[in-house]
Amino acid sequence: MTQKKYNISVEATLEVIGGKWKTVILCHLTHGTKRTSELRRLMPKITQKMLTQQLRELEHDGVINRIAYNQVPPKVEYELSEYGQSLTGILDSLCHWGEKHIIKVYGDKHSVLEDSILNQ
């Protein structure tokens, strides 16, 4: 196997958390363990297929833990792993910058942001 080369270290970061949905999933998981159905409610525009794919990739990269309970009906929860918790500062900074950007572009953030625990 050939060792991967990056031009700049942020490429490695974006390889793990890049894309439209991964950072949103991670932001929700910074507020605690969530079931798949909870994440779907929090992100109504994501498809079930995309959510499942993103969760699998984040789990594969060691950023989240998948907790499967042996019960009927099946119960699965997701949480940030210890490694994933190291992203909290980055996620907080992205949210802060996004809020400033929304205010710059739209003026009133409340007219643009959904009512969510992440936007308080």
Side-chain angles (χ1 to χ4, degrees):
M1 186 168 120
T2 309
Q3 185 172 352
K4 189 162 194 155
K5 293 280 190 176
Y6 298 101
N7 291 314
I8 186 170
S9 57
V10 75
E11 291 177 42
T13 306
L14 291 175
E15 188 173 70
V16 176
I17 67 168
K20 181 175 181 177
W21 296 110
K22 287 183 180 178
T23 51
V24 178
I25 292 167
L26 292 170
C27 284
H28 285 298
L29 293 179
T30 63
H31 292 272
T33 301
K34 302 277 186 281
R35 295 180 71 169
T36 308
S37 58
E38 289 176 276
L39 290 168
R40 278 280 287 139
R41 276 193 299 279
L42 292 167
M43 299 179 294
K45 294 182 181 177
I46 192 171
T47 65
Q48 184 63 49
K49 179 181 177 185
M50 180 58 69
L51 177 59
T52 300
Q53 177 185 334
Q54 300 293 278
L55 289 168
R56 285 182 182 152
E57 289 176 13
L58 289 167
E59 181 186 13
H60 178 265
D61 289 328
V63 177
I64 64 172
N65 295 323
R66 180 180 186 270
I67 306 158
Y69 297 91
N70 189 13
Q71 66 182 50
V72 177
K75 178 181 174 183
V76 176
E77 294 179 330
Y78 294 91
E79 66 181 6
L80 287 178
S81 66
E82 186 175 328
Y83 184 53
Q85 289 173 13
S86 68
L87 291 166
T88 303
I90 294 169
L91 297 169
D92 288 344
S93 293
L94 286 170
C95 288
H96 182 70
W97 188 90
E99 187 174 306
K100 288 174 117 178
H101 176 71
I102 288 170
I103 292 167
K104 177 182 182 233
V105 173
Y106 300 101
D108 178 21
K109 69 177 184 176
H110 299 290
S111 66
V112 178
L113 286 174
E114 296 286 339
D115 187 25
S116 166
I117 189 169
L118 296 178
N119 297 326
Q120 295 176 357

